[in-house]
Amino acid sequence: MTATWLGPLVVVGFLTGLTIAAVLLRLGRLRSPASALAASALPFVFAALPVLILVAFSVIVAAWRQ
């Protein structure tokens, strides 16, 4: 099984997180420095989700085959 679909999923996740952060900024929901830091981390969290799902799937399949 190839993982060529992983790259586009990471890009889509990053753009989704970036869009959500921009919407939060535009709506004025970022009032403290902590919320601004959390919003700036959103794109990277969303980009990491497909990778974490792939890792979890790989671990489950490897454990199941043994």
Side-chain angles (χ1 to χ4, degrees), residues 32-61:
S32 68
S35 64
L37 183 64
S40 66
L42 269 177
F44 302 103
V45 171
F46 274 80
L49 284 177
V51 177
L52 292 176
I53 291 170
L54 179 65
V55 168
F57 182 71
S58 300
V59 168
I60 290 170
V61 168

Side-chain angles (χ1 to χ4, degrees), residues 7-33:
L9 278 180
V10 170
V11 170
V12 167
F14 185 83
L15 291 176
T16 302
L18 194 62
T19 303
I20 292 172
V23 167
L24 289 174
L25 179 65
R26 182 72 178 138
L27 290 177
R29 303 285 178 154
L30 307 177
R31 301 193 187 274
S32 68

